[in-house]
């Protein structure tokens, strides 16, 4: 796997293969495709930013790290890795910045190559920048010509080389030894192995990718953006196949994994980060952001809501403009409305906090009503404390519950109260300053 390039055109200190695609490095997508093939080893050839790449990828048991001190071409990069590969192995060379290639396509390349030299090609509408596949009258691959070395007729060819190739390790070692650097770049081209293989009587095959997008790499930020949209289009198609309705497949971003059941509806500009799962009948409104959420059947998330680490147990309403933070668990028939924030809050069945409240480190029973402006004062400046509210309690508007504190089942808290001690069950508890009216008071006038 070739991952030594700097990527100057990215205009970034981050190595090219670590540029993000759906919040995952380009290289991470390629590694996933490679591992799906079940290889004995993955040899990562690194150069620019090698330490950063290693830190991002991690030292997995199946990885062998190879450093290419001088970047003298793709063939040279492969030569750096070959000493660590058994002579009888089948080698597959992948590009670390081509994240859309599929395991199925790579398997086809290996199958078609047999004991010869096999490459992955694609027919593209605009071949600029790619090496061209030159075939003979019989359709067999004769050679691969890099664009810098191509004449005008060769540049008109629309079948291009992806850079990904396969061959037996021993044969590949021999062919690369025959390849020189007599070209416009002064580099050792892996593609020159095609001519060396033919000269030695081996077959050369070119497997055309099912979709030309599979060979796309990212040399600059625009190409990375194009890859992002193509990746998201593929994800959207998969979600529709699983039974989801997308109001606009071009306006959804999945930056991780999203599992959907039949009947899920997702409105425009929804963003899913991390690992999310939506059960039957879940609806997600426009402009919502969900991170690591598990939403139960029938959950409705209204527009402009932000959910992170939320679990719902069934039908409930969230938002609009709600912010639910990690540790929030909502029972069935609950409602967390507009401008409500929760954190480590558990709401029992049928409980409601309809608007303008903060509920943190809170355990709320069933059928509880939380009035507007309620705050659980859970932080004393050093430690967090818990608030417990029993079933069927009624918390009046503009109430402050100073934790640690408990409100009994069936209790009623009068609006505007500050509760610092246990409120007994089935009783009215309130704390208010006495209301007075100042007689003969006049409002000041501007001089």
């Amino acid at each position: 796997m070739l991952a030594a390039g700097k990527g100057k055109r990215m205009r970034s200190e981050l190595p090219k293969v670590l540029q993000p695609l759906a919040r995952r490095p380009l290289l991470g997508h390629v590694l996933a495709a490679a591992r799906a093939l079940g290889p004995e080893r993955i040899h990562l050839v690194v150069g620019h930013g090698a330490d950063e790449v290693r830190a991002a990828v991690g030292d997995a048991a199946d990885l062998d790290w190879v450093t290419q001190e001088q970047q003298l071409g793709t063939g040279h990069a492969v030569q750096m890795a070959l000493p660590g590969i058994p002579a009888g192995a089948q080698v597959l060379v992948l590009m670390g910045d081509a994240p859309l290639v599929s395991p199925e396509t790579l398997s086809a390349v290996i199958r078609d190559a047999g004991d010869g030299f096999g490459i992955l090609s694609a027919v593209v509408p605009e071949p600029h920048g790619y090496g061209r596949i030159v075939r003979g009258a019989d359709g067999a691959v004769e050679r691969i010509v890099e664009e810098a070395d191509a004449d005008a007729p060769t540049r008109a060819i629309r079948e291009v080389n992806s850079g990904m190739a396969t061959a037996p390790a021993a044969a590949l070692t021999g062919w690369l030894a025959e390849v020189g650097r007599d070209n416009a770049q002064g580099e050792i081209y892996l593609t020159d192995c095609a001519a060396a293989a033919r000269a030695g009587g081996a077959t050369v095959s070119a497997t055309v990718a099912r979709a030309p997008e599979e060979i796309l790499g990212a040399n600059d930020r625009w190409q990375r953006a194009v890859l992002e949209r193509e990746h998201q289009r593929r994800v959207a198609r998969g979600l529709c196949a699983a039974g989801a309705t997308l109001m606009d497949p071009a306006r959804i971003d999945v930056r991780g994994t999203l599992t959907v059941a039949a009947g899920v509806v997702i409105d425009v500009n929804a963003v899913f980060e991390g690992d999310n799962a939506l059960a039957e009948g879940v609806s997600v409104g426009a402009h919502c952001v969900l991170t690591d959420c598990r939403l139960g059947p029938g959950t409705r998330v209204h527009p402009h809501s932000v959910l992170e680490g939320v679990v719902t147990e069934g039908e409930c309403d969230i938002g609009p403009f709600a912010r639910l933070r990690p540790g929030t668990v909502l029972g069935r028939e609950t409602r967390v409305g507009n401008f409500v924030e929760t954190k480590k809050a558990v709401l029992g069945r049928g409980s409601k906090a309809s608007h303008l409240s903060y509920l943190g480190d809170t355990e709320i029973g069933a059928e509880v009503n939380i009035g507007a402006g309620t705050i659980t004062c859970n932080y004393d400046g050093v430690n967090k404390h818990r608030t417990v509210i029993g079933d069927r309690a009624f918390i009046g508007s503009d109430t402050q519950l100073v934790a640690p504190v408990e409100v009994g089942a069936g209790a009623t808290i009068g609006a505007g109260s500050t509760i610092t001690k246990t409120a007994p069950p089935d009783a009215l508890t309130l704390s208010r300053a006495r209301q007075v009216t100042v007689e003969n008071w006049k409002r000041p006038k501007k001089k």
Side-chain angles (χ1 to χ4, degrees):
M1 193 170 295
L2 308 189
K6 184 176 182 179
K8 292 180 182 178
R9 284 182 282 169
M10 284 289 182
R11 298 183 180 275
S12 170
E13 294 299 317
L14 195 66
K16 181 167 71 168
V17 295
L18 296 186
Q19 296 294 325
L21 180 77
R23 286 286 176 92
R24 185 183 191 184
L26 295 172
L27 183 59
H29 293 270
V30 187
L31 279 168
R35 284 176 169 139
L37 301 174
E40 288 254 340
R41 298 285 293 170
I42 296 175
H43 303 264
L44 267 172
V45 182
V46 293
H48 291 291
D51 291 340
E52 289 180 82
V53 175
R54 190 160 189 161
V57 172
D59 289 317
D62 61 348
L63 294 182
D64 179 37
W65 293 89
V66 180
T67 301
Q68 185 186 20
E69 297 290 352
Q70 288 183 288
Q71 278 71 58
L72 300 178
T74 53
H76 178 255
V78 175
Q79 284 180 321
M80 296 296 97
L82 280 170
I85 299 173
Q90 182 74 15
V91 176
L92 177 65
V93 181
L94 300 181
M95 302 292 111
D97 68 336
L100 301 183
V101 67
S102 68
E104 293 78 16
T105 294
L106 295 176
S107 294
V109 174
I110 296 170
R111 182 190 64 238
D112 294 347
D115 294 329
F117 184 69
I119 61 171
L120 174 62
S121 70
V123 177
V124 298
E126 176 48 67
H128 176 71
Y130 288 95
R132 308 303 201 272
I133 307 298
V134 179
R135 295 181 182 264
D138 59 355
V141 177
E142 290 186 344
R143 65 190 187 280
I144 304 167
V145 182
E146 294 300 319
E147 184 169 72
D149 303 302
D151 55 22
T154 303
R155 290 188 180 190
I157 296 172
R158 291 174 51 225
E159 184 180 4
V160 300
N161 174 43
S162 70
M164 291 174 259
T166 186
L172 188 56
T173 301
W175 295 331
L176 282 170
E178 299 175 19
V179 171
R181 296 170 58 185
D182 185 17
N183 52 60
Q185 303 294 329
E187 295 180 345
I188 301 173
Y189 293 155
L190 175 64
T191 50
D192 284 349
C193 287
R198 280 182 63 87
T203 60
V204 179
S205 63
T207 302
V208 180
R210 293 175 298 174
E213 295 83 8
E214 290 200 67
I215 75 163
L216 291 179
N219 291 313
D220 56 36
R221 290 185 180 274
W222 172 251
Q223 290 180 349
R224 193 218 64 81
V226 170
L227 287 173
E228 179 78 41
R229 280 303 97 208
E230 175 58 26
H231 171 80
Q232 296 298 342
R233 187 188 70 82
R234 292 181 176 196
V235 171
R237 190 172 210 170
L239 294 173
C240 291
T245 297
L246 306 183
M247 302 311 291
D248 185 349
R251 290 191 284 171
I252 180 173
D253 280 86
V254 179
R255 301 164 184 168
T257 59
L258 173 59
T259 304
V260 297
V264 166
V265 177
I266 301 174
D267 211 333
V268 300
N269 296 329
V271 177
F272 299 88
E273 299 183 334
D275 183 17
N276 293 280
L278 310 181
E280 298 87 353
V282 168
S283 65
V284 178
H287 310 288
C288 290
V289 180
L290 275 66
T291 304
D292 297 323
C293 294
R294 296 282 183 275
L295 304 188
T299 296
R300 294 171 295 276
V301 184
H302 297 284
H304 299 281
S305 295
V306 179
L307 282 64
E308 181 181 0
V310 174
V311 175
T312 67
E313 297 174 351
E315 293 185 12
C316 59
D317 274 351
I318 299 169
F321 296 99
R323 185 188 180 200
L324 277 58
R325 294 164 57 192
T328 297
V329 179
L330 304 183
R332 296 182 61 185
E333 301 174 15
T334 54
R335 169 159 178 71
V336 177
N338 49 294
F339 304 106
V340 174
E341 180 179 356
T342 66
K343 190 271 294 183
K344 290 185 180 178
V346 179
L347 275 69
R349 182 167 184 165
S351 290
K352 296 175 175 62
S354 295
H355 32 233
L356 301 163
S357 296
Y358 170 70
L359 306 173
D361 298 285
T362 307
E363 182 180 340
I364 298 172
E367 303 295 334
V368 172
N369 183 82
I370 305 292
T374 295
I375 300 172
T376 56
C377 306
N378 57 326
Y379 184 50
D380 63 8
V382 178
N383 299 305
K384 299 290 181 69
H385 301 281
R386 194 152 186 81
T387 297
V388 178
I389 302 174
D391 296 345
R392 303 178 312 284
F394 183 96
I395 310 299
S397 297
D398 196 28
T399 293
Q400 295 84 50
L401 300 168
V402 183
V405 72
E406 183 171 348
V407 176
T412 298
I413 305 299
S417 295
T418 298
I419 303 300
T420 60
K421 300 177 182 178
T422 297
D426 299 311
L428 171 63
T429 301
L430 64 149
S431 64
R432 296 175 183 162
R434 182 182 175 194
Q435 180 173 320
V436 295
T437 300
V438 178
E439 300 292 342
N440 301 318
W441 177 86
K442 295 186 181 299
R443 184 179 297 169
K445 294 183 179 180
K446 191 172 183 179
K447 293 183 180 179

